[in-house]
Amino acid sequence: MTGNAARLQAIKDVEAYVPPAVSFSLDEAPGAIFGENVFNRVVMQKRLPKSVYKSVVATIEHGATLDPAVADAVASAMKDWALEKGATHYAHVFYPLTGLTAEKHDSFLEPVGDGTALAEFAGKTLVQGEPDASSFPNGGLRNTFEARGYTGWDVTSPAYVLENPNGNTLCIPTVFVSMTGEALDHKTPLLRSQQAMGEHAERVLRLFGHDDVNHVVSFCGPEQEYFLVDRHFFLARPDLMNAGRTLFGAKPPKGQEFDDHYFGAIPERVLGFMMDTERELFKLGIPAKTRHNEVAPGQFEIAPMFERGNIAADHQQLLMTTFKSIAKKHGMECLFHEKPFAGVNGSGKHVNFSLGNSELGSLFVPGDNPHDNAQFLVFCAAVIRAVHLYGGLLRASVASASNDHRLGANEAPPAIISIFLGDQLADIFEQIARGPATSSKGRGTMTIGVDTLPVLPTDPGDRNRTSPFAFTGNRFEFRAPGSLQTVAAPMVTINTIMADSLDYVATTLEAAVAEGVDFDSAVQTLLTEIITEHGAVVFNGNGYGDEWPIEAEKRGLKNLKTTLDALPELITDEALALFEKYGVFTHREMHSRYEIGLEQYVLAIGVEARLTQEIGQTVILPAAVRHQTEIATNIAALKAAGMTDVDLAPLDGISAPVAALRSALATLGDALTADAGHDALAEAEHARDALLPAMLAVRGAADELETIVADDLWPLPTYQELLFVL
Ligand code: ADP
Ligand code: MG
């Protein structure tokens, strides 16, 4: 069933639908099931010989190479544990450059020759897999004759059992590389960048007197925004089903202007869904913490507690699949697209980022004593420098066709990458720029001379929601990532540019100390230099204001509005040198990411353009013509009945947008069949410059028709139905 019949049926079905209750007993103690399905340290400590356990922890904590004998012991314990949990299969889980999660399942059972089979799982099977993965994007990194890819166990991210009514699976987080060791995934560069950043952060910490410093890692707390729509309506919207967003839809009479949804009471049905998802996440050891309604109707947010970057990235992916599947059980569809509805707020995935280790916590905490303050200011200065030098790369790390609808499209946050520091910190850096800081707002005098620094409060005081990169008290929050994206790509960029900045800081301070310069004054000089050179990236004003792009241009900040403006940032000489220097990407790997970025862009817009054509032509135009015919028939009947002054305006009123729709469809059809050139860049430019505007024109005519055509003829569930029925 399609079109009008599908919409009318969906409305009936929605009315009759009774949402299910939560799938567990409410008496269950919260926390009782936390981590139940995870092969975590507690489980390992219980099940592994002491020496093996210690060796695994050394790998996790200090990045020590894993001994093959240890892998055998871990594999054996992991298998027994998984079998007890009802697993029949194991899977190496990896994160290819489609942005999705991939897994290949293998049975534990291996024939033993006498007609029976035994459950087997050797160390080498745990450590390495070889999925036939030739269809994943590789951006020219593999030829068909070397199509093999390898997966390799990420010891730092715990294995887990994924439950499924049709059988449980032991899932092992892995990296995914080509035969020649080139990264084909998001995890490999994340681990590499983490290592580089850690190394240079530790150098800086040693200068501040932390001689025996623990391994520094980056932490990520991802805030995930999403929409929920009733699945009956979803299934009657081919655009939502195939492109993840509505390609048509007039603005509803009631939009999001009322602010009555933001942080309002969570609808009962949605709460049931949230409770079920949270419980599943808890079982997987994912620390789901906050949940609330977001700005737009039908929009919500979940924020798990921050974790080590690579674990947060794995958990984030798992969270998204869990949300999708549990939403279905509750008769809803979960939409992660950055802009499912035109004219309604889009969804992001804020990446809260900090550096630190188990001993020192976040290095972005101002701290309780002046000594910490100097260290804190140095780490903040490193961020300012990194974001100023590499804002273009940050923008490129979140570039996609879908995220373009937020960034650079008059919506949060703008495509210009700037930093918000909050009043107090901005004030301190302003003073540092003028010479030694002498006072802290409302808090007496200070110089960077560590003896006289006052204690800085952790509370940043105010918030700025329009800034793409904001200091929020103990972390920086990167708000440009899209809701659909993995957090890995932005984390790779942040880690790498921080490695560069911290390397710079450490090298400068080490040289000064070697020359016998007093450490405090070396710090002072460095801070002054960084803020003078890079202060242009600090912006505490309104990022949505019309004046900001003009001011940003004066400051030399880039405004990379579309993915095609941003992606070339990946292959500048500067970027290639940076990623190579820190061992994160080779030139070939960077070029492959650039190519894949273009391919994905072309693919996404191509699908949308074809869908727009098909829905416009076969769903909307027929409905409009029916309405037109009804009016024409009615006019003819009135005339035949002898009425002389029949009003022809209603006929003109529908005929004009029908003609506009026809003509826009013809233009889109031409754009779809035009020769788009033969390299990825030319095709991408065609998508942006020919397909997108042609799609918008079709939509313009169709949305006008939606306001004219009789409601009982209208074929697609409306925004009203999609957004306000839950
Ligand atoms: P808000 O909406 O005010 O930004 P939320 O509570 O929704 O805050 O989300 C904040 C996110 O930041 C959570 O994921 C939280 O765990 C994370 N976070 C808190 N402290 C840190 C830190 N030091 N490093 C990284 N992330 C952090
Ligand atoms: Mg939040």
Side-chain angles (χ1 to χ4, degrees):
M1 199 179 354
T2 54
N4 184 243
R7 174 176 170 232
L8 298 180
Q9 186 60 45
I11 293 173
K12 278 192 205 143
D13 290 344
V14 168
E15 272 164 9
Y17 182 75
V18 183
V22 292
S23 65
F24 59 95
S25 156
L26 292 173
D27 298 337
E28 183 179 274
I33 38 96
F34 192 85
E36 181 181 277
N37 287 351
V38 186
F39 194 69
N40 56 24
R41 289 210 196 170
V42 179
V43 178
M44 283 197 275
Q45 196 166 17
K46 243 188 250 160
R47 291 177 176 254
L48 293 174
K50 215 173 193 163
S51 63
V52 171
Y53 175 71
K54 268 178 110 169
S55 170
V56 174
V57 171
T59 301
I60 297 173
E61 287 292 322
H62 309 294
T65 315
L66 198 83
D67 171 352
V70 167
D72 271 328
V74 176
S76 166
M78 207 187 259
K79 178 198 71 185
D80 292 343
W81 171 81
L83 291 177
E84 285 164 32
K85 296 250 159 229
T88 55
H89 288 66
Y90 64 89
H92 275 199
V93 176
F94 55 101
Y95 308 95
L97 296 170
T98 49
L100 304 172
T101 306
E103 41 192 65
K104 179 196 173 210
H105 294 204
D106 283 290
S107 168
F108 281 117
L109 288 185
E110 283 183 19
V112 283
D114 61 355
T116 63
L118 272 182
E120 290 292 349
F121 191 55
K124 65 177 192 330
T125 327
L126 166 64
V127 171
Q128 189 178 334
E130 193 196 319
D132 174 18
S134 48
S135 303
F136 290 113
N138 66 80
L141 280 184
R142 285 182 306 177
N143 297 313
T144 18
F145 63 85
E146 51 171 39
R148 273 190 274 181
Y150 289 103
T151 50
W153 180 29
D154 173 10
V155 185
T156 59
S157 182
Y160 53 93
V161 164
L162 204 56
E163 293 176 16
N164 185 295
N166 303 316
N168 298 347
T169 305
L170 168 67
C171 293
I172 300 146
T174 62
V175 295
F176 178 46
V177 294
S178 75
M179 226 169 105
T180 45
E182 280 158 324
L184 297 171
D185 68 347
H186 284 293
K187 187 190 268 280
T188 307
L190 181 52
L191 295 173
R192 290 175 183 163
S193 66
Q194 184 122 290
Q195 190 171 313
M197 186 281 305
E199 183 189 319
H200 296 288
E202 287 156 33
R203 276 174 69 202
V204 174
L205 286 176
R206 278 193 289 273
L207 283 159
F208 277 95
H210 303 279
D211 289 330
D212 201 15
V213 63
N214 276 357
H215 198 43
V216 172
V217 293
S218 53
F219 295 104
C220 167
E223 292 167 60
Q224 172 77 59
E225 292 175 337
Y226 59 97
F227 280 86
L228 290 172
V229 298
D230 191 290
R231 208 167 144 71
H232 297 98
F233 290 136
F234 170 79
L235 292 174
R237 292 283 316 211
D239 48 358
L240 269 186
M241 281 174 67
N242 293 290
R245 73 168 173 119
T246 55
L247 298 166
F248 299 95
K251 210 174 174 307
K254 182 186 171 196
Q256 65 185 49
E257 302 85 357
F258 289 93
D259 276 346
D260 50 355
H261 179 73
Y262 191 41
F263 278 89
I266 299 173
E268 202 174 298
R269 175 177 181 192
V270 174
L271 197 60
F273 152 81
M274 286 175 168
M275 289 168 74
D276 268 347
T277 45
E278 280 166 19
R279 184 163 181 277
E280 284 311 307
L281 297 179
F282 284 168
K283 280 202 243 169
L284 294 166
I286 302 175
K289 183 118 172 83
T290 352
R291 58 187 185 200
H292 58 78
N293 290 358
E294 258 304 326
V295 176
Q299 191 186 30
F300 306 89
E301 179 189 294
I302 177 159
M305 274 279 291
F306 69 97
E307 299 177 280
R308 196 166 156 151
N310 61 311
I311 298 176
D314 290 0
H315 280 172
Q316 232 301 303
Q317 295 290 107
L318 207 45
L319 180 147
M320 288 169 74
T321 24
T322 308
F323 267 47
K324 280 260 173 208
S325 73
I326 295 189
K328 280 195 186 80
K329 287 186 191 147
H330 286 258
M332 296 182 289
E333 185 68 25
C334 181
L335 308 176
F336 288 117
H337 193 286
E338 282 81 3
K339 193 74 178 174
F341 305 101
V344 172
N345 256 39
S347 298
K349 178 144 57 200
H350 301 171
V351 168
N352 290 271
F353 153 82
S354 66
L355 308 175
N357 62 24
S358 44
E359 176 198 351
L360 301 171
S362 167
L363 296 170
F364 296 132
V365 174
D368 293 335
N369 65 64
H371 188 279
D372 290 342
N373 278 1
Q375 181 185 301
F376 159 77
L377 291 174
V378 163
F379 276 93
C380 285
V383 178
I384 294 171
R385 178 184 178 278
V387 176
H388 186 233
L389 284 179
Y390 302 111
L393 277 177
L394 284 170
R395 169 66 182 92
S397 78
V398 297
S400 71
S402 51
N403 206 21
D404 279 358
H405 296 287
R406 295 170 65 232
L407 310 178
N410 299 324
E411 197 181 314
I416 306 161
I417 305 292
S418 65
I419 283 197
F420 169 81
L421 290 178
D423 275 355
Q424 194 193 32
L425 201 51
D427 176 64
I428 290 175
F429 273 109
E430 267 162 37
Q431 293 183 52
I432 291 172
R434 289 195 298 267
T438 50
S439 71
S440 172
K441 264 198 169 169
R443 283 184 180 254
T445 60
M446 66 176 258
T447 63
I448 296 301
V450 288
D451 312 330
T452 46
L453 272 180
V455 174
L456 297 175
T458 30
D459 184 0
D462 50 2
R463 289 274 170 121
N464 179 326
R465 297 259 162 216
T466 69
S467 174
F469 212 100
F471 179 64
T472 49
N474 62 348
R475 61 188 186 271
F476 282 87
E477 182 174 350
F478 185 29
R479 300 206 181 101
S483 48
L484 199 53
Q485 301 175 322
T486 158
V487 297
M491 285 297 290
V492 167
T493 305
I494 298 175
N495 283 337
T496 309
I497 66 180
M498 281 303 288
D500 175 75
S501 263
L502 293 168
D503 182 6
Y504 175 81
V505 164
T507 307
T508 311
L509 292 178
E510 281 162 5
V513 171
E515 278 169 28
V517 178
D518 164 61
F519 183 67
D520 294 346
S521 56
V523 167
Q524 176 71 59
T525 310
L526 176 75
L527 288 174
T528 305
E529 182 236 290
I530 289 183
I531 198 65
T532 311
E533 293 275 310
H534 305 290
V537 78
V538 177
F539 177 61
N540 287 328
N542 176 11
Y544 303 164
D546 293 336
E547 326 76 46
W548 174 227
I550 302 163
E551 161 73 15
E553 196 179 340
K554 279 192 209 140
R555 295 185 184 198
L557 302 181
K558 291 175 178 159
N559 186 358
L560 305 169
K561 287 196 175 154
T562 73
T563 294
L564 296 197
D565 302 314
L567 286 178
E569 296 288 319
L570 297 179
I571 49 167
T572 62
D573 290 344
E574 201 191 8
L576 292 174
L578 169 81
F579 283 101
E580 183 171 59
K581 180 173 181 190
Y582 294 101
V584 178
F585 286 124
T586 62
H587 290 200
R588 244 165 76 86
E589 287 172 328
M590 280 306 271
H591 277 284
S592 90
R593 294 209 174 214
Y594 168 71
E595 286 293 325
I596 291 167
L598 291 177
E599 277 168 26
Q600 304 274 348
Y601 183 81
V602 171
L603 209 65
I605 294 178
V607 167
E608 289 186 351
R610 288 190 294 278
L611 271 168
T612 302
Q613 175 76 0
E614 189 183 299
I615 298 170
Q617 187 71 47
T618 66
V619 178
I620 293 177
L621 188 59
V625 169
R626 267 176 216 141
H627 184 80
Q628 190 182 30
T629 309
E630 251 183 38
I631 294 179
T633 312
N634 179 256
I635 289 175
L638 293 175
K639 279 187 176 167
M643 195 183 275
T644 49
D645 55 348
V646 180
D647 184 5
L648 296 181
L651 190 57
D652 295 341
I654 178 88
S655 298
V658 164
L661 179 61
R662 281 216 171 88
S663 135
L665 282 167
T667 309
L668 177 58
D670 290 345
L672 274 166
T673 48
D675 181 8
H678 296 286
D679 65 283
L681 181 61
E683 282 183 65
E685 279 167 353
H686 178 72
R688 180 187 64 184
D689 302 332
L691 295 181
L692 279 177
M695 285 160 59
L696 267 184
V698 171
R699 180 180 190 146
D703 289 357
E704 192 190 339
L705 283 166
E706 187 180 332
T707 65
I708 300 173
V709 171
D711 185 64
D712 62 341
L713 289 176
W714 192 250
L716 296 173
T718 62
Y719 271 24
Q720 181 89 4
E721 287 150 0
L722 291 165
L723 288 166
F724 292 96
V725 180
L726 271 183

